[in-house]
Amino acid sequence: KNVQGDYDSALKHFEKALRYFEAAGEVQRAAITRQNIGMLYYNKNEFAAAIQELDRSIEMGLKNNLLSILALGYLSKANVLIAIDDLRSANLFADRALGVSHILNDKLTIADVHKTKSIIEKKNKNYELAENYLQTSLRINKNKENKLNSAETEFELSNLYSETDNSASKDQMLMESLKHYQEIDAKENIKKIETISQQKHLEQNS
């Protein structure tokens, strides 16, 4: 089954669930489902449709004071805005997500927001600020013992150090990321890092 087919099948499933939740007056579940639909459109690179769904979810969150919906909705919208290079608006929504996450004391979402803000700063070539955001994100994820998020953040740090020609830190973060992925048996990610390492080894010996 192709990826497009998977997305279309998932979209039908979410739309059916949305109709059910809205008919039953289950506002929170309906808002979460709209977020899922929004991120599905984001993964299909249909960014206008993604923003439309996320905005409707955010509207439901504001109307019903659903803070957890707002935190995730703002963060998801920030990531869509990064994809269309509207970095100023992306930063605004990331800050909104951060504010709500602090009210909720939701550490993992705070870590995710820092990761998103690092992407914005990296695109703006503010590498030191981007590194600070990633290091904060990594510290929170390690404190929460979230190995997947730690691995992803270490991988992002490795990419950042690659852009800034910090070869020693790049290799160190790549190996840290590999170690965490191995601990949770994330096969595809392990394979990706091993491929990067093999390419580097070949380049050094050529």
Side-chain angles (χ1 to χ4, degrees):
K1 200 176 184 183
N2 65 12
V3 172
Q4 184 66 42
D6 287 342
Y7 284 145
D8 291 343
S9 166
L11 193 55
K12 280 179 189 163
H13 167 77
F14 283 134
E15 283 171 345
K16 185 180 175 184
L18 181 62
R19 285 193 297 272
Y20 172 80
F21 292 140
E22 287 185 336
E26 294 196 40
V27 179
Q28 184 153 355
R29 285 182 166 187
I32 291 167
T33 306
R34 283 208 180 275
Q35 287 185 355
N36 288 331
I37 292 171
M39 294 318 287
L40 203 58
Y41 279 127
Y42 167 74
N43 288 324
K44 289 176 73 174
N45 295 328
E46 294 180 24
F47 301 125
I51 287 171
Q52 189 176 16
E53 289 297 331
L54 291 170
D55 280 346
R56 291 180 78 172
S57 176
I58 288 166
E59 194 182 315
M60 292 162 88
L62 287 167
K63 198 179 283 186
N64 297 279
N65 199 33
L66 303 169
L67 294 186
S68 60
I69 295 292
L70 288 173
L72 204 54
Y74 290 147
L75 178 57
S76 298
K77 187 168 178 181
N79 286 316
V80 178
L81 290 164
I82 289 169
I84 58 172
D85 278 327
D86 186 352
L87 300 182
R88 191 174 172 186
S89 298
N91 205 34
L92 179 74
F93 278 93
D95 283 340
R96 286 181 185 175
L98 194 59
V100 177
S101 301
H102 276 300
I103 293 167
L104 292 166
N105 198 28
D106 180 351
K107 301 289 189 193
L108 289 176
T109 303
I110 290 168
D112 282 343
V113 176
H114 277 88
K115 199 158 72 166
T116 293
K117 285 180 76 69
S118 81
I119 296 166
I120 296 167
E121 296 307 337
K122 187 174 159 189
K123 279 180 169 280
N124 283 326
K125 303 208 181 315
N126 297 327
Y127 294 119
E128 195 175 330
L129 204 47
E131 182 188 0
N132 288 345
Y133 280 127
L134 282 173
Q135 290 288 4
T136 302
S137 180
L138 182 59
R139 189 169 65 249
I140 295 168
N141 282 315
K142 281 187 169 178
N143 285 344
K144 300 298 284 183
E145 296 182 356
N146 190 312
K147 289 178 182 177
L148 175 61
N149 286 8
S150 295
E152 288 173 349
T153 308
E154 286 155 349
F155 188 77
E156 288 299 326
L157 273 164
S158 176
N159 287 338
L160 179 67
Y161 292 136
S162 175
E163 277 196 38
T164 54
D165 295 322
N166 186 339
S167 152
S169 296
K170 172 197 160 189
D171 292 344
Q172 182 195 346
M173 280 299 138
L174 198 62
M175 289 305 100
E176 289 284 327
S177 179
L178 178 62
K179 186 183 84 174
H180 278 122
Y181 279 134
Q182 285 170 337
E183 285 172 1
I184 56 171
D185 198 27
K187 290 184 175 66
E188 280 189 27
N189 300 95
I190 293 166
K191 192 176 173 184
K192 180 170 69 176
I193 293 176
E194 285 174 345
T195 303
I196 292 168
S197 300
Q198 283 164 2
Q199 283 170 344
K200 188 189 173 195
H201 185 67
L202 288 170
E203 284 165 13
Q204 284 175 337
N205 291 320
S206 62

Short mmCIF file of all heavy atoms in Angstrom, two decimals, residues 21-72:
data_model
loop_
_atom_site.label_atom_id
_atom_site.label_comp_id
_atom_site.label_asym_id
_atom_site.label_seq_id
_atom_site.Cartn_x
_atom_site.Cartn_y
_atom_site.Cartn_z
N PHE A 21 -17.93 12.36 17.17
CA PHE A 21 -17.66 13.15 18.38
C PHE A 21 -18.47 14.45 18.38
O PHE A 21 -18.98 14.86 19.42
CB PHE A 21 -16.16 13.47 18.49
CG PHE A 21 -15.30 12.27 18.76
CD1 PHE A 21 -14.06 12.13 18.13
CD2 PHE A 21 -15.71 11.27 19.64
CE1 PHE A 21 -13.26 11.01 18.37
CE2 PHE A 21 -14.91 10.16 19.89
CZ PHE A 21 -13.69 10.03 19.25
N GLU A 22 -18.59 15.08 17.21
CA GLU A 22 -19.35 16.33 17.15
C GLU A 22 -20.84 16.08 17.42
O GLU A 22 -21.48 16.85 18.12
CB GLU A 22 -19.12 17.02 15.80
CG GLU A 22 -17.72 17.62 15.71
CD GLU A 22 -17.46 18.43 14.45
OE1 GLU A 22 -18.12 18.20 13.42
OE2 GLU A 22 -16.55 19.29 14.50
N ALA A 23 -21.35 14.98 16.86
CA ALA A 23 -22.77 14.64 17.09
C ALA A 23 -23.03 14.32 18.56
O ALA A 23 -24.09 14.63 19.11
CB ALA A 23 -23.17 13.45 16.22
N ALA A 24 -22.03 13.71 19.22
CA ALA A 24 -22.18 13.33 20.63
C ALA A 24 -21.85 14.48 21.58
O ALA A 24 -21.96 14.33 22.80
CB ALA A 24 -21.26 12.13 20.93
N GLY A 25 -21.42 15.62 21.02
CA GLY A 25 -21.07 16.78 21.85
C GLY A 25 -19.79 16.60 22.64
O GLY A 25 -19.57 17.25 23.66
N GLU A 26 -18.90 15.70 22.15
CA GLU A 26 -17.62 15.47 22.83
C GLU A 26 -16.57 16.43 22.26
O GLU A 26 -15.80 16.10 21.35
CB GLU A 26 -17.19 14.00 22.66
CG GLU A 26 -18.14 13.04 23.35
CD GLU A 26 -17.53 11.66 23.52
OE1 GLU A 26 -16.32 11.57 23.85
OE2 GLU A 26 -18.24 10.66 23.33
N VAL A 27 -16.57 17.63 22.83
CA VAL A 27 -15.78 18.73 22.28
C VAL A 27 -14.28 18.44 22.29
O VAL A 27 -13.58 18.65 21.30
CB VAL A 27 -16.08 20.04 23.05
CG1 VAL A 27 -15.23 21.19 22.51
CG2 VAL A 27 -17.54 20.39 22.94
N GLN A 28 -13.78 17.93 23.42
CA GLN A 28 -12.34 17.70 23.53
C GLN A 28 -11.86 16.66 22.51
O GLN A 28 -10.85 16.87 21.83
CB GLN A 28 -11.97 17.25 24.95
CG GLN A 28 -10.45 17.10 25.11
CD GLN A 28 -10.00 17.32 26.56
OE1 GLN A 28 -10.79 17.68 27.42
NE2 GLN A 28 -8.73 17.11 26.80
N ARG A 29 -12.62 15.57 22.38
CA ARG A 29 -12.23 14.53 21.42
C ARG A 29 -12.33 15.05 19.98
O ARG A 29 -11.51 14.70 19.14
CB ARG A 29 -13.08 13.29 21.61
CG ARG A 29 -12.69 12.48 22.83
CD ARG A 29 -13.52 11.23 22.96
NE ARG A 29 -12.94 10.31 23.91
CZ ARG A 29 -13.40 9.08 24.12
NH1 ARG A 29 -14.42 8.62 23.41
NH2 ARG A 29 -12.84 8.29 25.00
N ALA A 30 -13.34 15.87 19.73
CA ALA A 30 -13.50 16.45 18.39
C ALA A 30 -12.31 17.37 18.08
O ALA A 30 -11.77 17.35 16.97
CB ALA A 30 -14.81 17.23 18.30
N ALA A 31 -11.89 18.15 19.07
CA ALA A 31 -10.76 19.08 18.89
C ALA A 31 -9.46 18.30 18.63
O ALA A 31 -8.66 18.67 17.77
CB ALA A 31 -10.61 19.97 20.11
N ILE A 32 -9.26 17.22 19.38
CA ILE A 32 -8.07 16.38 19.19
C ILE A 32 -8.08 15.77 17.79
O ILE A 32 -7.06 15.72 17.09
CB ILE A 32 -7.99 15.26 20.27
CG1 ILE A 32 -7.68 15.86 21.64
CG2 ILE A 32 -6.93 14.21 19.90
CD1 ILE A 32 -7.89 14.89 22.80
N THR A 33 -9.26 15.32 17.35
CA THR A 33 -9.39 14.70 16.02
C THR A 33 -9.08 15.73 14.93
O THR A 33 -8.42 15.41 13.94
CB THR A 33 -10.80 14.11 15.83
OG1 THR A 33 -11.06 13.20 16.92
CG2 THR A 33 -10.90 13.34 14.52
N ARG A 34 -9.55 16.97 15.12
CA ARG A 34 -9.22 18.03 14.14
C ARG A 34 -7.71 18.25 14.08
O ARG A 34 -7.15 18.49 13.01
CB ARG A 34 -9.94 19.33 14.49
CG ARG A 34 -11.41 19.31 14.11
CD ARG A 34 -11.94 20.70 13.81
NE ARG A 34 -13.35 20.65 13.45
CZ ARG A 34 -13.81 20.41 12.23
NH1 ARG A 34 -12.97 20.18 11.23
NH2 ARG A 34 -15.10 20.40 11.98
N GLN A 35 -7.04 18.18 15.25
CA GLN A 35 -5.58 18.32 15.25
C GLN A 35 -4.94 17.17 14.47
O GLN A 35 -4.00 17.39 13.69
CB GLN A 35 -5.05 18.34 16.68
CG GLN A 35 -5.34 19.65 17.39
CD GLN A 35 -4.72 19.73 18.78
OE1 GLN A 35 -4.14 18.78 19.26
NE2 GLN A 35 -4.88 20.87 19.41
N ASN A 36 -5.45 15.96 14.66
CA ASN A 36 -4.92 14.81 13.92
C ASN A 36 -5.11 14.98 12.41
O ASN A 36 -4.21 14.67 11.62
CB ASN A 36 -5.60 13.51 14.39
CG ASN A 36 -5.15 13.08 15.77
OD1 ASN A 36 -4.02 13.37 16.17
ND2 ASN A 36 -6.00 12.42 16.51
N ILE A 37 -6.28 15.48 12.03
CA ILE A 37 -6.55 15.72 10.61
C ILE A 37 -5.60 16.80 10.08
O ILE A 37 -5.03 16.67 8.99
CB ILE A 37 -8.03 16.13 10.39
CG1 ILE A 37 -8.96 14.95 10.71
CG2 ILE A 37 -8.26 16.62 8.95
CD1 ILE A 37 -10.45 15.30 10.74
N GLY A 38 -5.40 17.85 10.89
CA GLY A 38 -4.49 18.93 10.50
C GLY A 38 -3.08 18.42 10.25
O GLY A 38 -2.44 18.76 9.25
N MET A 39 -2.59 17.56 11.15
CA MET A 39 -1.22 17.05 11.00
C MET A 39 -1.11 16.03 9.86
O MET A 39 -0.05 15.87 9.26
CB MET A 39 -0.71 16.46 12.32
CG MET A 39 -0.55 17.51 13.42
SD MET A 39 0.20 19.08 12.89
CE MET A 39 1.91 18.59 12.66
N LEU A 40 -2.23 15.39 9.55
CA LEU A 40 -2.26 14.49 8.39
C LEU A 40 -2.08 15.31 7.11
O LEU A 40 -1.29 14.94 6.24
CB LEU A 40 -3.60 13.75 8.38
CG LEU A 40 -3.67 12.42 7.65
CD1 LEU A 40 -2.67 11.42 8.22
CD2 LEU A 40 -5.07 11.83 7.77
N TYR A 41 -2.81 16.43 7.03
CA TYR A 41 -2.63 17.33 5.88
C TYR A 41 -1.20 17.88 5.82
O TYR A 41 -0.62 18.03 4.75
CB TYR A 41 -3.63 18.49 5.95
CG TYR A 41 -5.02 18.15 5.47
CD1 TYR A 41 -6.15 18.39 6.27
CD2 TYR A 41 -5.23 17.60 4.21
CE1 TYR A 41 -7.42 18.07 5.83
CE2 TYR A 41 -6.52 17.29 3.76
CZ TYR A 41 -7.60 17.53 4.56
OH TYR A 41 -8.86 17.23 4.12
N TYR A 42 -0.64 18.18 6.99
CA TYR A 42 0.75 18.67 7.07
C TYR A 42 1.71 17.62 6.48
O TYR A 42 2.59 17.95 5.69
CB TYR A 42 1.09 18.95 8.54
CG TYR A 42 2.55 19.16 8.85
CD1 TYR A 42 3.20 20.34 8.51
CD2 TYR A 42 3.29 18.17 9.53
CE1 TYR A 42 4.54 20.54 8.82
CE2 TYR A 42 4.62 18.37 9.83
CZ TYR A 42 5.25 19.56 9.47
OH TYR A 42 6.57 19.74 9.78
N ASN A 43 1.51 16.37 6.84
CA ASN A 43 2.36 15.29 6.32
C ASN A 43 2.17 15.08 4.82
O ASN A 43 3.07 14.56 4.15
CB ASN A 43 2.09 13.98 7.08
CG ASN A 43 2.65 14.02 8.49
OD1 ASN A 43 3.69 14.61 8.73
ND2 ASN A 43 1.93 13.44 9.44
N LYS A 44 1.01 15.49 4.30
CA LYS A 44 0.75 15.40 2.86
C LYS A 44 1.21 16.68 2.13
O LYS A 44 0.99 16.83 0.93
CB LYS A 44 -0.76 15.23 2.60
CG LYS A 44 -1.32 13.87 2.99
CD LYS A 44 -2.83 13.82 2.81
CE LYS A 44 -3.20 13.77 1.32
NZ LYS A 44 -4.68 13.57 1.15
N ASN A 45 1.83 17.61 2.88
CA ASN A 45 2.26 18.90 2.34
C ASN A 45 1.10 19.77 1.86
O ASN A 45 1.27 20.64 1.00
CB ASN A 45 3.29 18.74 1.20
CG ASN A 45 4.58 18.11 1.70
OD1 ASN A 45 4.98 18.33 2.84
ND2 ASN A 45 5.22 17.33 0.88
N GLU A 46 -0.09 19.53 2.42
CA GLU A 46 -1.26 20.37 2.11
C GLU A 46 -1.42 21.36 3.27
O GLU A 46 -2.25 21.19 4.16
CB GLU A 46 -2.49 19.49 1.91
CG GLU A 46 -2.39 18.60 0.68
CD GLU A 46 -3.62 17.73 0.47
OE1 GLU A 46 -4.73 18.08 0.95
OE2 GLU A 46 -3.48 16.67 -0.18
N PHE A 47 -0.58 22.40 3.23
CA PHE A 47 -0.42 23.25 4.41
C PHE A 47 -1.62 24.16 4.69
O PHE A 47 -1.95 24.41 5.84
CB PHE A 47 0.87 24.07 4.28
CG PHE A 47 2.10 23.21 4.13
CD1 PHE A 47 2.96 23.37 3.05
CD2 PHE A 47 2.38 22.21 5.04
CE1 PHE A 47 4.08 22.57 2.90
CE2 PHE A 47 3.50 21.39 4.91
CZ PHE A 47 4.35 21.57 3.83
N ALA A 48 -2.28 24.66 3.63
CA ALA A 48 -3.46 25.52 3.85
C ALA A 48 -4.57 24.73 4.55
O ALA A 48 -5.20 25.23 5.50
CB ALA A 48 -3.96 26.07 2.51
N ALA A 49 -4.78 23.49 4.11
CA ALA A 49 -5.80 22.63 4.74
C ALA A 49 -5.40 22.30 6.18
O ALA A 49 -6.25 22.26 7.08
CB ALA A 49 -5.97 21.34 3.94
N ALA A 50 -4.10 22.10 6.42
CA ALA A 50 -3.60 21.81 7.77
C ALA A 50 -3.90 22.98 8.71
O ALA A 50 -4.43 22.80 9.81
CB ALA A 50 -2.10 21.54 7.73
N ILE A 51 -3.59 24.20 8.25
CA ILE A 51 -3.82 25.39 9.08
C ILE A 51 -5.30 25.58 9.36
O ILE A 51 -5.70 25.91 10.49
CB ILE A 51 -3.21 26.65 8.39
CG1 ILE A 51 -1.67 26.59 8.51
CG2 ILE A 51 -3.73 27.94 9.03
CD1 ILE A 51 -0.93 27.64 7.71
N GLN A 52 -6.15 25.32 8.37
CA GLN A 52 -7.60 25.46 8.55
C GLN A 52 -8.11 24.53 9.66
O GLN A 52 -8.87 24.96 10.54
CB GLN A 52 -8.30 25.12 7.23
CG GLN A 52 -9.79 25.43 7.24
CD GLN A 52 -10.43 25.17 5.88
OE1 GLN A 52 -9.87 24.49 5.02
NE2 GLN A 52 -11.62 25.69 5.69
N GLU A 53 -7.66 23.27 9.65
CA GLU A 53 -8.10 22.32 10.69
C GLU A 53 -7.55 22.70 12.06
O GLU A 53 -8.25 22.62 13.07
CB GLU A 53 -7.65 20.89 10.32
CG GLU A 53 -8.40 20.29 9.15
CD GLU A 53 -9.90 20.11 9.40
OE1 GLU A 53 -10.32 19.93 10.56
OE2 GLU A 53 -10.65 20.17 8.42
N LEU A 54 -6.28 23.10 12.09
CA LEU A 54 -5.67 23.47 13.37
C LEU A 54 -6.35 24.70 13.95
O LEU A 54 -6.56 24.79 15.16
CB LEU A 54 -4.16 23.68 13.21
CG LEU A 54 -3.36 22.40 12.92
CD1 LEU A 54 -1.93 22.73 12.52
CD2 LEU A 54 -3.37 21.45 14.11
N ASP A 55 -6.68 25.66 13.08
CA ASP A 55 -7.38 26.87 13.55
C ASP A 55 -8.73 26.53 14.17
O ASP A 55 -9.13 27.12 15.18
CB ASP A 55 -7.57 27.86 12.40
CG ASP A 55 -6.31 28.67 12.12
OD1 ASP A 55 -5.39 28.66 12.96
OD2 ASP A 55 -6.24 29.32 11.05
N ARG A 56 -9.43 25.59 13.57
CA ARG A 56 -10.75 25.18 14.10
C ARG A 56 -10.57 24.49 15.46
O ARG A 56 -11.38 24.67 16.37
CB ARG A 56 -11.47 24.29 13.11
CG ARG A 56 -11.90 25.08 11.88
CD ARG A 56 -12.62 24.23 10.86
NE ARG A 56 -14.01 23.98 11.24
CZ ARG A 56 -14.88 23.39 10.43
NH1 ARG A 56 -14.53 23.01 9.22
NH2 ARG A 56 -16.12 23.18 10.83
N SER A 57 -9.52 23.69 15.57
CA SER A 57 -9.23 23.03 16.85
C SER A 57 -8.87 24.06 17.93
O SER A 57 -9.36 23.99 19.06
CB SER A 57 -8.07 22.04 16.67
OG SER A 57 -7.72 21.47 17.91
N ILE A 58 -8.05 25.04 17.55
CA ILE A 58 -7.65 26.11 18.48
C ILE A 58 -8.89 26.90 18.93
O ILE A 58 -9.04 27.23 20.11
CB ILE A 58 -6.60 27.04 17.83
CG1 ILE A 58 -5.25 26.30 17.73
CG2 ILE A 58 -6.44 28.34 18.61
CD1 ILE A 58 -4.23 26.97 16.81
N GLU A 59 -9.77 27.19 17.97
CA GLU A 59 -11.00 27.92 18.28
C GLU A 59 -11.85 27.16 19.32
O GLU A 59 -12.37 27.75 20.26
CB GLU A 59 -11.80 28.05 16.97
CG GLU A 59 -12.94 29.05 17.01
CD GLU A 59 -13.70 29.07 15.68
OE1 GLU A 59 -13.05 29.08 14.62
OE2 GLU A 59 -14.94 29.03 15.74
N MET A 60 -11.93 25.83 19.15
CA MET A 60 -12.66 25.00 20.12
C MET A 60 -11.97 25.03 21.49
O MET A 60 -12.63 25.08 22.52
CB MET A 60 -12.75 23.55 19.61
CG MET A 60 -13.63 23.41 18.38
SD MET A 60 -13.31 21.85 17.49
CE MET A 60 -14.43 20.76 18.33
N GLY A 61 -10.66 25.02 21.46
CA GLY A 61 -9.90 25.09 22.71
C GLY A 61 -10.11 26.39 23.45
O GLY A 61 -10.29 26.41 24.67
N LEU A 62 -10.12 27.51 22.69
CA LEU A 62 -10.33 28.83 23.30
C LEU A 62 -11.74 28.96 23.87
O LEU A 62 -11.94 29.44 24.98
CB LEU A 62 -10.08 29.93 22.26
CG LEU A 62 -8.62 30.18 21.87
CD1 LEU A 62 -8.53 31.06 20.63
CD2 LEU A 62 -7.85 30.83 23.03
N LYS A 63 -12.71 28.49 23.10
CA LYS A 63 -14.13 28.62 23.49
C LYS A 63 -14.44 27.81 24.75
O LYS A 63 -15.26 28.20 25.57
CB LYS A 63 -15.02 28.16 22.34
CG LYS A 63 -16.46 28.64 22.44
CD LYS A 63 -17.29 28.17 21.25
CE LYS A 63 -17.02 28.99 20.01
NZ LYS A 63 -17.93 28.62 18.89
N ASN A 64 -13.75 26.67 24.88
CA ASN A 64 -14.06 25.74 25.99
C ASN A 64 -12.96 25.67 27.05
O ASN A 64 -12.99 24.81 27.92
CB ASN A 64 -14.34 24.34 25.43
CG ASN A 64 -15.57 24.33 24.53
OD1 ASN A 64 -16.68 24.27 25.01
ND2 ASN A 64 -15.36 24.42 23.23
N ASN A 65 -11.98 26.59 26.94
CA ASN A 65 -10.87 26.66 27.91
C ASN A 65 -10.15 25.32 28.06
O ASN A 65 -9.86 24.86 29.17
CB ASN A 65 -11.38 27.16 29.27
CG ASN A 65 -10.23 27.67 30.14
OD1 ASN A 65 -9.26 28.22 29.63
ND2 ASN A 65 -10.32 27.47 31.44
N LEU A 66 -9.84 24.68 26.93
CA LEU A 66 -9.14 23.39 26.92
C LEU A 66 -7.65 23.66 26.71
O LEU A 66 -7.16 23.74 25.58
CB LEU A 66 -9.69 22.49 25.81
CG LEU A 66 -11.20 22.19 25.86
CD1 LEU A 66 -11.66 21.52 24.59
CD2 LEU A 66 -11.52 21.31 27.08
N LEU A 67 -6.93 23.82 27.81
CA LEU A 67 -5.54 24.27 27.72
C LEU A 67 -4.64 23.26 27.01
O LEU A 67 -3.75 23.64 26.25
CB LEU A 67 -4.99 24.59 29.12
CG LEU A 67 -5.63 25.78 29.84
CD1 LEU A 67 -4.91 26.07 31.14
CD2 LEU A 67 -5.65 27.03 28.97
N SER A 68 -4.85 21.97 27.25
CA SER A 68 -3.99 20.97 26.61
C SER A 68 -4.19 20.97 25.09
O SER A 68 -3.25 20.77 24.32
CB SER A 68 -4.24 19.57 27.17
OG SER A 68 -5.59 19.19 26.96
N ILE A 69 -5.43 21.24 24.65
CA ILE A 69 -5.73 21.36 23.22
C ILE A 69 -4.99 22.57 22.64
O ILE A 69 -4.41 22.51 21.55
CB ILE A 69 -7.26 21.51 22.98
CG1 ILE A 69 -8.01 20.24 23.41
CG2 ILE A 69 -7.57 21.88 21.53
CD1 ILE A 69 -7.76 19.02 22.56
N LEU A 70 -5.02 23.67 23.38
CA LEU A 70 -4.36 24.90 22.92
C LEU A 70 -2.85 24.73 22.81
O LEU A 70 -2.24 25.15 21.83
CB LEU A 70 -4.70 26.07 23.86
CG LEU A 70 -6.14 26.59 23.78
CD1 LEU A 70 -6.40 27.62 24.87
CD2 LEU A 70 -6.42 27.17 22.40
N ALA A 71 -2.24 24.10 23.82
CA ALA A 71 -0.78 23.90 23.80
C ALA A 71 -0.36 23.14 22.54
O ALA A 71 0.55 23.57 21.82
CB ALA A 71 -0.33 23.16 25.05
N LEU A 72 -1.06 22.04 22.28
CA LEU A 72 -0.71 21.21 21.12
C LEU A 72 -1.09 21.89 19.81
O LEU A 72 -0.36 21.82 18.82
CB LEU A 72 -1.40 19.85 21.25
CG LEU A 72 -0.75 18.69 20.50
CD1 LEU A 72 0.71 18.54 20.87
CD2 LEU A 72 -1.50 17.40 20.77
#
